[in-house]
Amino acid sequence: MEEQKTEGQRLAEKLTFEIKSRWETIGENDRDAIVAFAEQYKRFIDKGKTEREFNAECLSILKEQGFMDIEAALLEGRRLKAGDKVYQNNRGKSLVFAIVGRVSIKEGVNIVGAHIDSPRIDLKTNPLYEDGGFAIFDTHYYGGIKHYQWTTIPLAMHGVVFNKNGEKQTVRIGEDEDDPVFVITDLLPHLAQDQMQKKANEFVRGEELDVLAGSEPFKDEKVKEKVKLTILNALNQKYGVTEENFASAEIEFVPAHKARDVGLDRSLIGAYGHDDRCCAYAAFRATLECAEASERGGIPEKTVVCLLTDKEEIGSMGNTGAQSRLFENFIAYLCSQTLDRYSDIDLRLALNRSAMLSTDVNAAYDPNFGDVFDKKTASYCGKGLALSKYTGVRGKVGGSDANAEFLQKVQSILDRHGVRWQFGNLGKVDKGGGGTIAQHAANLGVDTLDCGIPVLSMHSPFEVISKIDLWTAYRGYAAFLKDA
Ligand code: MN
Ligand code: MN
């Protein structure tokens, strides 16, 4: 027989609030769906390890599903109607796509927005040199990394380079089992007496993150840098490039490992680039779900938009980043192709009445470093979708602080759809901080909330997320697109 609850117990139940592990709230069938979704995600991010590759993977699916190029439609003067599916591929590095809704764009649009770039090691523009019998690639790191984490792990070489004839060559070395990989060396402990006394940010300096490219000399006494020539020759045979072509190339070194299950219960996923491709993937799939529903006659009420941007890890600048006019232009295109007459004031109206989830990852509570987190407001792996009312550093500086009204609206949508949410504040006050693309959309007048997946070891070569948080994000984003 159940014990009678005391008055205090009943009152506590009514008035207090506890966030449980999401795993405790699901049935066996749910678990199968969660695991299947995680498998699809793992395969997807193994193929999309750079912003270009992730963009290309998404784009090929969009084309398969009948999305059309909005700029082509614009140039042909083609009008758009409810249910039409359009995309804008921005220089192969950022992507925005939409399903036109039933009501006028002047009612605003519902947006999920993520970034698809991740911290990594970029090649310099004149990178190859020879020292100590090695050919070495000189690099410049991209994004906020702890330098030392990128040494002594297998790296793969991804990117694009133009050959002598101006033809674009796609580089991808180190992903197949029998491909060679690359590595940044580190000092042996025996000689690291001085190194070990240094602060972590000087332990391995940015300029010391150079990548081993090879060691076999070209057999010709007359040649000065023989190993360098071997490597240039190999690159020339494979891609038709010469040393000069590196001046325009975009080559990124990323961890060569694949996404793997973590833990005996396989509840977690370890991979490179969860930040922010786990949210990008969940947002992408949620938007595709709207497209599928639309095909079956369930055209969304408001236009739904998915925004996948580049350059977030270096401040969202440039014409592929969220500070550019990419998103604004896309909404302008939609206005021009769906309204009787285009006017700037209609565009402003549409932006000001729009709502966005800035779908970026959050710092998961890490028991190894518990003291930097405020346990009451931290996000936890396995507890669902993390809502961050604000970001920023020190006194919330530089953060986008969502309005209470909008936060309440999002929470009630999630509650209505049975999507579990949790808090997501980045650490204790004055312990650090960060930002996302939220502010850039918010500055256009869009109601914006940061809302993402908790990650362990963020910005490291092997970040960890929970499968159930990935799933919950996907369900949450779909609910928002439909109902916001
Ligand atoms: Mn991020
Ligand atoms: Mn980041």
Side-chain angles (χ1 to χ4, degrees), residues 407-441:
L407 204 61
Q408 202 283 331
K409 179 179 173 176
V410 173
Q411 283 169 349
S412 67
I413 291 170
L414 297 177
D415 288 343
R416 208 158 58 234
H417 287 262
V419 176
R420 301 287 175 128
W421 54 268
Q422 58 172 324
F423 297 104
N425 284 16
L426 188 66
K428 280 184 180 162
V429 176
D430 286 341
K431 282 286 179 196
T436 65
I437 65 166
Q439 54 186 317
H440 310 307

PDB file of all heavy atoms in Angstrom, residues 407-441:
ATOM      1  N   LEU A 407      10.425  33.294 -24.314  1.00  0.00           N
ATOM      2  CA  LEU A 407      10.834  32.089 -23.601  1.00  0.00           C
ATOM      3  C   LEU A 407       9.603  31.292 -23.157  1.00  0.00           C
ATOM      4  O   LEU A 407       9.518  30.075 -23.316  1.00  0.00           O
ATOM      5  CB  LEU A 407      11.659  32.501 -22.379  1.00  0.00           C
ATOM      6  CG  LEU A 407      12.637  31.487 -21.822  1.00  0.00           C
ATOM      7  CD1 LEU A 407      13.688  31.118 -22.837  1.00  0.00           C
ATOM      8  CD2 LEU A 407      13.305  32.044 -20.575  1.00  0.00           C
ATOM      9  N   GLN A 408       8.631  32.009 -22.625  1.00  0.00           N
ATOM     10  CA  GLN A 408       7.398  31.363 -22.170  1.00  0.00           C
ATOM     11  C   GLN A 408       6.693  30.677 -23.337  1.00  0.00           C
ATOM     12  O   GLN A 408       6.220  29.556 -23.224  1.00  0.00           O
ATOM     13  CB  GLN A 408       6.497  32.419 -21.521  1.00  0.00           C
ATOM     14  CG  GLN A 408       5.471  31.861 -20.553  1.00  0.00           C
ATOM     15  CD  GLN A 408       4.281  31.223 -21.255  1.00  0.00           C
ATOM     16  OE1 GLN A 408       3.943  31.620 -22.356  1.00  0.00           O
ATOM     17  NE2 GLN A 408       3.677  30.241 -20.627  1.00  0.00           N
ATOM     18  N   LYS A 409       6.682  31.357 -24.475  1.00  0.00           N
ATOM     19  CA  LYS A 409       6.016  30.804 -25.656  1.00  0.00           C
ATOM     20  C   LYS A 409       6.701  29.503 -26.099  1.00  0.00           C
ATOM     21  O   LYS A 409       6.037  28.496 -26.361  1.00  0.00           O
ATOM     22  CB  LYS A 409       6.057  31.841 -26.788  1.00  0.00           C
ATOM     23  CG  LYS A 409       5.413  31.381 -28.062  1.00  0.00           C
ATOM     24  CD  LYS A 409       5.481  32.471 -29.130  1.00  0.00           C
ATOM     25  CE  LYS A 409       4.974  31.930 -30.457  1.00  0.00           C
ATOM     26  NZ  LYS A 409       4.938  32.965 -31.490  1.00  0.00           N
ATOM     27  N   VAL A 410       8.043  29.534 -26.139  1.00  0.00           N
ATOM     28  CA  VAL A 410       8.782  28.335 -26.569  1.00  0.00           C
ATOM     29  C   VAL A 410       8.564  27.196 -25.578  1.00  0.00           C
ATOM     30  O   VAL A 410       8.298  26.055 -25.963  1.00  0.00           O
ATOM     31  CB  VAL A 410      10.295  28.640 -26.722  1.00  0.00           C
ATOM     32  CG1 VAL A 410      11.085  27.366 -26.991  1.00  0.00           C
ATOM     33  CG2 VAL A 410      10.522  29.654 -27.839  1.00  0.00           C
ATOM     34  N   GLN A 411       8.659  27.512 -24.280  1.00  0.00           N
ATOM     35  CA  GLN A 411       8.450  26.466 -23.266  1.00  0.00           C
ATOM     36  C   GLN A 411       7.077  25.843 -23.407  1.00  0.00           C
ATOM     37  O   GLN A 411       6.920  24.627 -23.287  1.00  0.00           O
ATOM     38  CB  GLN A 411       8.628  27.047 -21.858  1.00  0.00           C
ATOM     39  CG  GLN A 411      10.095  27.240 -21.495  1.00  0.00           C
ATOM     40  CD  GLN A 411      10.279  28.048 -20.226  1.00  0.00           C
ATOM     41  OE1 GLN A 411       9.346  28.637 -19.702  1.00  0.00           O
ATOM     42  NE2 GLN A 411      11.497  28.073 -19.732  1.00  0.00           N
ATOM     43  N   SER A 412       6.072  26.662 -23.668  1.00  0.00           N
ATOM     44  CA  SER A 412       4.727  26.080 -23.734  1.00  0.00           C
ATOM     45  C   SER A 412       4.556  25.246 -25.009  1.00  0.00           C
ATOM     46  O   SER A 412       3.871  24.227 -24.980  1.00  0.00           O
ATOM     47  CB  SER A 412       3.643  27.144 -23.581  1.00  0.00           C
ATOM     48  OG  SER A 412       3.663  28.001 -24.686  1.00  0.00           O
ATOM     49  N   ILE A 413       5.204  25.630 -26.093  1.00  0.00           N
ATOM     50  CA  ILE A 413       5.164  24.781 -27.303  1.00  0.00           C
ATOM     51  C   ILE A 413       5.813  23.427 -27.002  1.00  0.00           C
ATOM     52  O   ILE A 413       5.264  22.368 -27.316  1.00  0.00           O
ATOM     53  CB  ILE A 413       5.891  25.456 -28.498  1.00  0.00           C
ATOM     54  CG1 ILE A 413       5.116  26.680 -28.981  1.00  0.00           C
ATOM     55  CG2 ILE A 413       6.082  24.464 -29.649  1.00  0.00           C
ATOM     56  CD1 ILE A 413       5.865  27.540 -29.994  1.00  0.00           C
ATOM     57  N   LEU A 414       6.984  23.470 -26.359  1.00  0.00           N
ATOM     58  CA  LEU A 414       7.696  22.225 -26.053  1.00  0.00           C
ATOM     59  C   LEU A 414       6.865  21.352 -25.109  1.00  0.00           C
ATOM     60  O   LEU A 414       6.739  20.142 -25.312  1.00  0.00           O
ATOM     61  CB  LEU A 414       9.070  22.526 -25.450  1.00  0.00           C
ATOM     62  CG  LEU A 414      10.045  23.286 -26.370  1.00  0.00           C
ATOM     63  CD1 LEU A 414      11.352  23.584 -25.640  1.00  0.00           C
ATOM     64  CD2 LEU A 414      10.329  22.517 -27.660  1.00  0.00           C
ATOM     65  N   ASP A 415       6.288  21.989 -24.083  1.00  0.00           N
ATOM     66  CA  ASP A 415       5.458  21.234 -23.127  1.00  0.00           C
ATOM     67  C   ASP A 415       4.286  20.568 -23.840  1.00  0.00           C
ATOM     68  O   ASP A 415       3.966  19.405 -23.601  1.00  0.00           O
ATOM     69  CB  ASP A 415       4.942  22.162 -22.019  1.00  0.00           C
ATOM     70  CG  ASP A 415       6.058  22.586 -21.059  1.00  0.00           C
ATOM     71  OD1 ASP A 415       7.119  21.918 -21.058  1.00  0.00           O
ATOM     72  OD2 ASP A 415       5.880  23.584 -20.334  1.00  0.00           O
ATOM     73  N   ARG A 416       3.660  21.338 -24.725  1.00  0.00           N
ATOM     74  CA  ARG A 416       2.490  20.825 -25.447  1.00  0.00           C
ATOM     75  C   ARG A 416       2.848  19.591 -26.277  1.00  0.00           C
ATOM     76  O   ARG A 416       2.049  18.693 -26.444  1.00  0.00           O
ATOM     77  CB  ARG A 416       1.954  21.934 -26.351  1.00  0.00           C
ATOM     78  CG  ARG A 416       0.490  21.839 -26.635  1.00  0.00           C
ATOM     79  CD  ARG A 416      -0.123  23.163 -27.066  1.00  0.00           C
ATOM     80  NE  ARG A 416       0.479  23.741 -28.236  1.00  0.00           N
ATOM     81  CZ  ARG A 416       0.974  24.982 -28.292  1.00  0.00           C
ATOM     82  NH1 ARG A 416       0.966  25.749 -27.225  1.00  0.00           N
ATOM     83  NH2 ARG A 416       1.483  25.465 -29.406  1.00  0.00           N
ATOM     84  N   HIS A 417       4.064  19.564 -26.797  1.00  0.00           N
ATOM     85  CA  HIS A 417       4.490  18.439 -27.635  1.00  0.00           C
ATOM     86  C   HIS A 417       5.237  17.372 -26.839  1.00  0.00           C
ATOM     87  O   HIS A 417       5.815  16.449 -27.426  1.00  0.00           O
ATOM     88  CB  HIS A 417       5.376  18.946 -28.781  1.00  0.00           C
ATOM     89  CG  HIS A 417       4.603  19.677 -29.842  1.00  0.00           C
ATOM     90  ND1 HIS A 417       4.198  19.071 -31.008  1.00  0.00           N
ATOM     91  CD2 HIS A 417       4.134  20.945 -29.893  1.00  0.00           C
ATOM     92  CE1 HIS A 417       3.539  19.955 -31.745  1.00  0.00           C
ATOM     93  NE2 HIS A 417       3.475  21.097 -31.095  1.00  0.00           N
ATOM     94  N   GLY A 418       5.245  17.494 -25.524  1.00  0.00           N
ATOM     95  CA  GLY A 418       5.908  16.490 -24.689  1.00  0.00           C
ATOM     96  C   GLY A 418       7.421  16.468 -24.868  1.00  0.00           C
ATOM     97  O   GLY A 418       8.060  15.435 -24.689  1.00  0.00           O
ATOM     98  N   VAL A 419       8.001  17.602 -25.268  1.00  0.00           N
ATOM     99  CA  VAL A 419       9.456  17.683 -25.446  1.00  0.00           C
ATOM    100  C   VAL A 419      10.081  18.196 -24.152  1.00  0.00           C
ATOM    101  O   VAL A 419       9.781  19.301 -23.712  1.00  0.00           O
ATOM    102  CB  VAL A 419       9.815  18.628 -26.620  1.00  0.00           C
ATOM    103  CG1 VAL A 419      11.326  18.789 -26.730  1.00  0.00           C
ATOM    104  CG2 VAL A 419       9.239  18.096 -27.923  1.00  0.00           C
ATOM    105  N   ARG A 420      10.932  17.360 -23.543  1.00  0.00           N
ATOM    106  CA  ARG A 420      11.533  17.759 -22.267  1.00  0.00           C
ATOM    107  C   ARG A 420      12.636  18.783 -22.498  1.00  0.00           C
ATOM    108  O   ARG A 420      13.510  18.573 -23.323  1.00  0.00           O
ATOM    109  CB  ARG A 420      12.144  16.541 -21.561  1.00  0.00           C
ATOM    110  CG  ARG A 420      11.156  15.443 -21.280  1.00  0.00           C
ATOM    111  CD  ARG A 420      10.231  15.840 -20.147  1.00  0.00           C
ATOM    112  NE  ARG A 420       9.211  14.815 -19.966  1.00  0.00           N
ATOM    113  CZ  ARG A 420       8.945  14.246 -18.797  1.00  0.00           C
ATOM    114  NH1 ARG A 420       9.601  14.602 -17.717  1.00  0.00           N
ATOM    115  NH2 ARG A 420       8.006  13.332 -18.721  1.00  0.00           N
ATOM    116  N   TRP A 421      12.571  19.860 -21.731  1.00  0.00           N
ATOM    117  CA  TRP A 421      13.623  20.864 -21.817  1.00  0.00           C
ATOM    118  C   TRP A 421      14.310  20.996 -20.471  1.00  0.00           C
ATOM    119  O   TRP A 421      13.787  20.564 -19.439  1.00  0.00           O
ATOM    120  CB  TRP A 421      13.067  22.216 -22.285  1.00  0.00           C
ATOM    121  CG  TRP A 421      11.913  22.736 -21.475  1.00  0.00           C
ATOM    122  CD1 TRP A 421      10.596  22.530 -21.729  1.00  0.00           C
ATOM    123  CD2 TRP A 421      11.984  23.511 -20.268  1.00  0.00           C
ATOM    124  NE1 TRP A 421       9.826  23.133 -20.773  1.00  0.00           N
ATOM    125  CE2 TRP A 421      10.651  23.749 -19.863  1.00  0.00           C
ATOM    126  CE3 TRP A 421      13.028  24.028 -19.523  1.00  0.00           C
ATOM    127  CZ2 TRP A 421      10.349  24.480 -18.719  1.00  0.00           C
ATOM    128  CZ3 TRP A 421      12.732  24.756 -18.391  1.00  0.00           C
ATOM    129  CH2 TRP A 421      11.399  24.977 -17.988  1.00  0.00           C
ATOM    130  N   GLN A 422      15.477  21.576 -20.492  1.00  0.00           N
ATOM    131  CA  GLN A 422      16.239  21.826 -19.262  1.00  0.00           C
ATOM    132  C   GLN A 422      16.892  23.192 -19.388  1.00  0.00           C
ATOM    133  O   GLN A 422      16.811  23.841 -20.426  1.00  0.00           O
ATOM    134  CB  GLN A 422      17.289  20.738 -19.074  1.00  0.00           C
ATOM    135  CG  GLN A 422      18.261  20.616 -20.247  1.00  0.00           C
ATOM    136  CD  GLN A 422      19.426  19.668 -19.961  1.00  0.00           C
ATOM    137  OE1 GLN A 422      19.928  19.596 -18.835  1.00  0.00           O
ATOM    138  NE2 GLN A 422      19.858  18.942 -20.968  1.00  0.00           N
ATOM    139  N   PHE A 423      17.529  23.614 -18.322  1.00  0.00           N
ATOM    140  CA  PHE A 423      18.241  24.887 -18.365  1.00  0.00           C
ATOM    141  C   PHE A 423      19.555  24.727 -19.117  1.00  0.00           C
ATOM    142  O   PHE A 423      20.025  23.619 -19.314  1.00  0.00           O
ATOM    143  CB  PHE A 423      18.508  25.407 -16.952  1.00  0.00           C
ATOM    144  CG  PHE A 423      17.249  25.692 -16.192  1.00  0.00           C
ATOM    145  CD1 PHE A 423      16.802  24.830 -15.204  1.00  0.00           C
ATOM    146  CD2 PHE A 423      16.491  26.801 -16.502  1.00  0.00           C
ATOM    147  CE1 PHE A 423      15.626  25.081 -14.516  1.00  0.00           C
ATOM    148  CE2 PHE A 423      15.313  27.067 -15.827  1.00  0.00           C
ATOM    149  CZ  PHE A 423      14.877  26.196 -14.832  1.00  0.00           C
ATOM    150  N   GLY A 424      20.146  25.833 -19.515  1.00  0.00           N
ATOM    151  CA  GLY A 424      21.406  25.753 -20.242  1.00  0.00           C
ATOM    152  C   GLY A 424      22.230  27.008 -20.080  1.00  0.00           C
ATOM    153  O   GLY A 424      22.455  27.729 -21.045  1.00  0.00           O
ATOM    154  N   ASN A 425      22.647  27.275 -18.859  1.00  0.00           N
ATOM    155  CA  ASN A 425      23.483  28.453 -18.656  1.00  0.00           C
ATOM    156  C   ASN A 425      24.943  28.063 -18.606  1.00  0.00           C
ATOM    157  O   ASN A 425      25.316  27.100 -17.947  1.00  0.00           O
ATOM    158  CB  ASN A 425      23.075  29.200 -17.381  1.00  0.00           C
ATOM    159  CG  ASN A 425      21.807  29.993 -17.594  1.00  0.00           C
ATOM    160  OD1 ASN A 425      21.080  29.757 -18.565  1.00  0.00           O
ATOM    161  ND2 ASN A 425      21.536  30.919 -16.712  1.00  0.00           N
ATOM    162  N   LEU A 426      25.757  28.838 -19.321  1.00  0.00           N
ATOM    163  CA  LEU A 426      27.149  28.457 -19.537  1.00  0.00           C
ATOM    164  C   LEU A 426      28.017  28.801 -18.327  1.00  0.00           C
ATOM    165  O   LEU A 426      28.685  29.825 -18.304  1.00  0.00           O
ATOM    166  CB  LEU A 426      27.661  29.166 -20.797  1.00  0.00           C
ATOM    167  CG  LEU A 426      29.037  28.739 -21.300  1.00  0.00           C
ATOM    168  CD1 LEU A 426      29.006  27.301 -21.788  1.00  0.00           C
ATOM    169  CD2 LEU A 426      29.495  29.645 -22.428  1.00  0.00           C
ATOM    170  N   GLY A 427      28.016  27.954 -17.325  1.00  0.00           N
ATOM    171  CA  GLY A 427      28.959  28.105 -16.219  1.00  0.00           C
ATOM    172  C   GLY A 427      28.548  29.129 -15.174  1.00  0.00           C
ATOM    173  O   GLY A 427      27.583  29.872 -15.324  1.00  0.00           O
ATOM    174  N   LYS A 428      29.333  29.159 -14.095  1.00  0.00           N
ATOM    175  CA  LYS A 428      29.096  30.124 -13.023  1.00  0.00           C
ATOM    176  C   LYS A 428      29.378  31.539 -13.516  1.00  0.00           C
ATOM    177  O   LYS A 428      30.123  31.737 -14.479  1.00  0.00           O
ATOM    178  CB  LYS A 428      30.035  29.821 -11.846  1.00  0.00           C
ATOM    179  CG  LYS A 428      29.543  28.681 -10.959  1.00  0.00           C
ATOM    180  CD  LYS A 428      30.471  28.509  -9.778  1.00  0.00           C
ATOM    181  CE  LYS A 428      29.997  27.369  -8.890  1.00  0.00           C
ATOM    182  NZ  LYS A 428      31.060  26.895  -7.986  1.00  0.00           N
ATOM    183  N   VAL A 429      28.821  32.513 -12.822  1.00  0.00           N
ATOM    184  CA  VAL A 429      29.055  33.923 -13.147  1.00  0.00           C
ATOM    185  C   VAL A 429      30.561  34.208 -13.109  1.00  0.00           C
ATOM    186  O   VAL A 429      31.268  33.743 -12.215  1.00  0.00           O
ATOM    187  CB  VAL A 429      28.320  34.838 -12.128  1.00  0.00           C
ATOM    188  CG1 VAL A 429      28.626  36.300 -12.404  1.00  0.00           C
ATOM    189  CG2 VAL A 429      26.814  34.581 -12.187  1.00  0.00           C
ATOM    190  N   ASP A 430      31.043  34.910 -14.129  1.00  0.00           N
ATOM    191  CA  ASP A 430      32.441  35.337 -14.227  1.00  0.00           C
ATOM    192  C   ASP A 430      33.449  34.202 -14.412  1.00  0.00           C
ATOM    193  O   ASP A 430      34.645  34.393 -14.190  1.00  0.00           O
ATOM    194  CB  ASP A 430      32.853  36.192 -13.003  1.00  0.00           C
ATOM    195  CG  ASP A 430      32.244  37.594 -13.082  1.00  0.00           C
ATOM    196  OD1 ASP A 430      31.837  38.005 -14.181  1.00  0.00           O
ATOM    197  OD2 ASP A 430      32.171  38.257 -12.033  1.00  0.00           O
ATOM    198  N   LYS A 431      32.980  33.026 -14.838  1.00  0.00           N
ATOM    199  CA  LYS A 431      33.921  31.932 -15.107  1.00  0.00           C
ATOM    200  C   LYS A 431      34.318  31.893 -16.582  1.00  0.00           C
ATOM    201  O   LYS A 431      35.134  31.084 -16.998  1.00  0.00           O
ATOM    202  CB  LYS A 431      33.295  30.578 -14.720  1.00  0.00           C
ATOM    203  CG  LYS A 431      33.297  30.277 -13.241  1.00  0.00           C
ATOM    204  CD  LYS A 431      34.686  29.920 -12.739  1.00  0.00           C
ATOM    205  CE  LYS A 431      34.657  29.656 -11.244  1.00  0.00           C
ATOM    206  NZ  LYS A 431      36.002  29.670 -10.661  1.00  0.00           N
ATOM    207  N   GLY A 432      33.715  32.738 -17.386  1.00  0.00           N
ATOM    208  CA  GLY A 432      33.983  32.705 -18.821  1.00  0.00           C
ATOM    209  C   GLY A 432      32.724  33.075 -19.563  1.00  0.00           C
ATOM    210  O   GLY A 432      31.960  33.917 -19.091  1.00  0.00           O
ATOM    211  N   GLY A 433      32.474  32.470 -20.702  1.00  0.00           N
ATOM    212  CA  GLY A 433      31.254  32.755 -21.441  1.00  0.00           C
ATOM    213  C   GLY A 433      31.450  32.565 -22.922  1.00  0.00           C
ATOM    214  O   GLY A 433      32.479  32.059 -23.370  1.00  0.00           O
ATOM    215  N   GLY A 434      30.444  32.991 -23.674  1.00  0.00           N
ATOM    216  CA  GLY A 434      30.514  32.818 -25.124  1.00  0.00           C
ATOM    217  C   GLY A 434      29.288  33.390 -25.776  1.00  0.00           C
ATOM    218  O   GLY A 434      28.433  33.985 -25.112  1.00  0.00           O
ATOM    219  N   GLY A 435      29.223  33.242 -27.100  1.00  0.00           N
ATOM    220  CA  GLY A 435      28.071  33.740 -27.850  1.00  0.00           C
ATOM    221  C   GLY A 435      27.732  32.795 -28.981  1.00  0.00           C
ATOM    222  O   GLY A 435      28.432  31.821 -29.214  1.00  0.00           O
ATOM    223  N   THR A 436      26.630  33.095 -29.651  1.00  0.00           N
ATOM    224  CA  THR A 436      26.154  32.252 -30.740  1.00  0.00           C
ATOM    225  C   THR A 436      25.682  33.168 -31.874  1.00  0.00           C
ATOM    226  O   THR A 436      25.911  34.372 -31.826  1.00  0.00           O
ATOM    227  CB  THR A 436      24.969  31.383 -30.281  1.00  0.00           C
ATOM    228  OG1 THR A 436      23.880  32.261 -29.959  1.00  0.00           O
ATOM    229  CG2 THR A 436      25.313  30.550 -29.066  1.00  0.00           C
ATOM    230  N   ILE A 437      24.945  32.594 -32.840  1.00  0.00           N
ATOM    231  CA  ILE A 437      24.419  33.434 -33.922  1.00  0.00           C
ATOM    232  C   ILE A 437      23.130  34.142 -33.500  1.00  0.00           C
ATOM    233  O   ILE A 437      22.590  34.946 -34.250  1.00  0.00           O
ATOM    234  CB  ILE A 437      24.171  32.634 -35.222  1.00  0.00           C
ATOM    235  CG1 ILE A 437      23.067  31.575 -35.048  1.00  0.00           C
ATOM    236  CG2 ILE A 437      25.451  31.980 -35.718  1.00  0.00           C
ATOM    237  CD1 ILE A 437      22.546  31.009 -36.361  1.00  0.00           C
ATOM    238  N   ALA A 438      22.621  33.845 -32.291  1.00  0.00           N
ATOM    239  CA  ALA A 438      21.329  34.399 -31.849  1.00  0.00           C
ATOM    240  C   ALA A 438      21.270  35.916 -32.011  1.00  0.00           C
ATOM    241  O   ALA A 438      20.297  36.467 -32.528  1.00  0.00           O
ATOM    242  CB  ALA A 438      21.069  34.021 -30.393  1.00  0.00           C
ATOM    243  N   GLN A 439      22.324  36.600 -31.566  1.00  0.00           N
ATOM    244  CA  GLN A 439      22.316  38.064 -31.561  1.00  0.00           C
ATOM    245  C   GLN A 439      22.112  38.642 -32.968  1.00  0.00           C
ATOM    246  O   GLN A 439      21.496  39.695 -33.121  1.00  0.00           O
ATOM    247  CB  GLN A 439      23.622  38.573 -30.970  1.00  0.00           C
ATOM    248  CG  GLN A 439      24.849  38.001 -31.650  1.00  0.00           C
ATOM    249  CD  GLN A 439      26.143  38.391 -30.965  1.00  0.00           C
ATOM    250  OE1 GLN A 439      26.320  39.517 -30.572  1.00  0.00           O
ATOM    251  NE2 GLN A 439      27.048  37.438 -30.823  1.00  0.00           N
ATOM    252  N   HIS A 440      22.648  37.968 -33.980  1.00  0.00           N
ATOM    253  CA  HIS A 440      22.585  38.529 -35.330  1.00  0.00           C
ATOM    254  C   HIS A 440      21.164  38.490 -35.885  1.00  0.00           C
ATOM    255  O   HIS A 440      20.729  39.423 -36.561  1.00  0.00           O
ATOM    256  CB  HIS A 440      23.576  37.826 -36.251  1.00  0.00           C
ATOM    257  CG  HIS A 440      24.952  37.742 -35.655  1.00  0.00           C
ATOM    258  ND1 HIS A 440      25.604  38.863 -35.175  1.00  0.00           N
ATOM    259  CD2 HIS A 440      25.760  36.687 -35.380  1.00  0.00           C
ATOM    260  CE1 HIS A 440      26.771  38.489 -34.667  1.00  0.00           C
ATOM    261  NE2 HIS A 440      26.878  37.180 -34.760  1.00  0.00           N
ATOM    262  N   ALA A 441      20.449  37.420 -35.580  1.00  0.00           N
ATOM    263  CA  ALA A 441      19.038  37.351 -35.979  1.00  0.00           C
ATOM    264  C   ALA A 441      18.225  38.320 -35.127  1.00  0.00           C
ATOM    265  O   ALA A 441      17.368  39.050 -35.639  1.00  0.00           O
ATOM    266  CB  ALA A 441      18.511  35.930 -35.828  1.00  0.00           C
TER     267      ALA A 441
END
